Amino acid sequence: MRNVLPEAQRRLAIYEDDTYEAKWVRAKGVGGTKTMALAFVAGPKMKLTDEAWAFEEWCKLHRR
């Protein structure tokens, strides 16, 4: 497992809000290599729906 320094974790977290949680997950890379990765996943505050999601629309509403 490669280390993710606290400063790098803080910088990554800037892009997410409090509806996400950072968790370590098992990931499979190129060639089937397995490793641990830091991922932002839906947290308990996130309201999940069955609505379609479009990145372009999300950018218009939530990011500059």
Side-chain angles (χ1 to χ4, degrees), residues 18-60:
D18 66 352
T19 60
Y20 290 91
E21 295 180 346
K23 297 221 176 191
W24 287 100
V25 298
R26 295 188 190 282
K28 189 186 296 185
V30 177
T33 304
K34 294 179 183 176
T35 191
M36 296 299 289
L38 185 63
F40 287 87
V41 299
K45 293 182 180 181
M46 183 172 285
K47 294 178 181 164
L48 302 177
T49 69
D50 291 332
E51 291 180 40
W53 184 86
F55 179 69
E56 294 80 13
E57 186 66 21
W58 176 84
C59 285
K60 289 178 194 174

